[in-house]
Amino acid sequence: MNSTFNLYAKYYDLLYKDKDYERESEYIIKLIDKFRPDSETILDLGSGTGRHDLILAEKGYDVTGIEISEIMSKEAERNKKNIRSDRKVKFVNGDIRNTRLHEKFDIVISLFHVMSYQISNKDLTKTFATAESHLKDDGIFIFDFWYGPAVLTERPESRVKYLENEEIKIERHAEPFLKINENTVDVKYTVKIEEKTEGKNNEITEIHSMRYFFIPELKLILNQLNMGIMHFEEWMTGNKLSDESWYALVIAGKRS
Ligand SMILES: C[S@@+](CC[C@H](N)C(=O)[O-])C[C@H]1O[C@@H](n2cnc3c(N)ncnc32)[C@H](O)[C@@H]1O
C-alpha cells in the first residue's frame, strides 16, 4: 500500500486537479450541521494531500489528518503553507488501522473511497476501531465507499484519462477486473508520464484493489464495535441509495 501510494502521490494532485474539493467540503459541512451541529474538531482518516482538510480549516474547523504515504503527507504539509485560516491543522504520517492520537474529535471523516481500500474484514474492522476510538461519545463518523449494488449492476469499465500541466503530460489507462467472490475490483492503472522539459518518458503500472460494500455488512461490523449507522445516502446528491449509486456515504455514531 505504502509504495503504491508513494508513486501515485507525485501525480495525484494533477490527476485530481478537476476534482471539486470545495463543493465536496461544503457537502460535508452541510451534513455536519445537520447531524452534529456546533462541531469544531475533525479527524480525517487517509487524508492524502490534505485538500479537504485545508478547506475545512478555512471554514472554521480544527483539522488533523492521518495518512500512510510519506510523500502525500509531505505534500499536505506543503499545501498547508498557503492556508488562509488560523485554525489548527496537523498532518500525521501513520496507518489508520492502528494509529492512536489519544485525542477525541467531534467528527471523523474518511473521504474519496479510503474505506474501499480496506479490502479485508480485518483491515476494515481495525480502521473502524480507529474511528471509534477517536470519536467523542456524541461524535459522528462520515465516510464514502463503492456501493455494491451499483458496482454489480453497472459493472466497472476501462477508462482513459489525459492530463497536462507545464511540466508533465499524463495518459492513464484504468483496466478493472471484478473479483466476484471477494467483493473487490482490481483496477490496473498504466500511467504514461512525459516530462516535458527533459523529454523523458516514464511508465508506471500499479494495481489498486477496491472493495465494494453493502449496508448490512457495514452495520454488522460497526455494531460489533458498538457503533451504529445513523444515515446513508448517495454521495453528493443526497439521493436515496439505489443500484445506480456507485458512490455511497454513511454516517455512523457510537451507541449509547
Ligand atoms: C484516493 S486517496 C484519498 C485521499 C484524500 N482523502 C482525498 O480525498 O484526496 C486514498 C488515500 O487513503 C490512504 N490510505 C489508504 N490506506 C491507508 C491506511 N491504512 N492508513 C493511512 N492512509 C491510508 C492512501 O495513502 C491515499 O492517500
Side-chain angles (χ1 to χ4, degrees), residues 63-230:
V63 190
T64 301
I66 305 177
E67 168 55 51
I68 202 167
S69 152
E70 214 174 302
I71 294 189
M72 298 276 247
S73 307
K74 281 193 182 144
E75 187 64 29
E77 282 296 338
R78 258 195 299 276
N79 290 339
K80 192 170 134 178
K81 295 195 183 109
N82 305 322
I83 193 177
R84 297 164 306 232
S85 165
D86 51 10
R87 302 304 303 213
K88 272 187 262 163
V89 182
K90 194 165 98 183
F91 294 108
V92 177
N93 186 211
D95 188 332
I96 56 174
R97 290 168 296 185
N98 50 38
T99 299
R100 292 293 178 270
L101 303 176
H102 308 290
E103 201 182 332
K104 304 270 186 194
F105 296 81
D106 298 324
I107 309 287
V108 175
I109 56 173
S110 192
L111 305 176
F112 202 9
H113 329 321
V114 174
M115 285 308 138
S116 282
Y117 282 98
Q118 312 309 317
I119 56 173
S120 69
N121 285 344
K122 190 173 168 198
D123 286 349
L124 184 67
T125 306
K126 287 175 92 177
T127 305
F128 280 172
T130 302
E132 194 276 340
S133 76
H134 290 91
L135 265 188
K136 290 184 185 166
D137 285 345
D138 61 347
I140 58 169
F141 173 33
I142 305 175
F143 62 96
D144 71 282
F145 55 94
W146 285 24
Y147 186 52
V151 173
L152 295 180
T153 305
E154 290 178 16
R155 300 279 167 137
E157 284 174 0
S158 294
R159 288 205 179 133
V160 188
K161 202 166 175 175
Y162 301 94
L163 290 157
E164 190 168 356
N165 66 14
E166 312 75 53
E167 291 167 73
I168 51 176
K169 206 170 164 179
I170 293 179
E171 184 180 319
R172 189 183 76 160
H173 295 251
E175 214 184 329
F177 300 92
L178 183 65
K179 291 178 153 176
I180 204 85
N181 291 320
E182 291 171 38
N183 290 7
T184 59
V185 179
D186 281 356
V187 188
K188 184 178 168 204
Y189 289 107
T190 308
V191 191
K192 294 177 188 163
I193 306 136
E194 185 189 321
E195 290 178 53
K196 288 172 155 183
T197 41
E198 293 169 45
K200 271 200 268 172
N201 290 302
N202 280 304
E203 189 170 303
I204 297 170
T205 306
E206 54 192 24
I207 295 177
H208 288 201
S209 296
M210 307 295 292
R211 178 164 168 187
Y212 46 89
F213 297 108
F214 299 83
I215 296 294
E217 60 177 334
L218 293 176
K219 265 189 193 158
L220 186 70
I221 300 179
L222 287 164
N223 288 354
Q224 282 165 357
L225 295 165
N226 218 20
M227 288 197 281
I229 293 185
M230 299 161 68

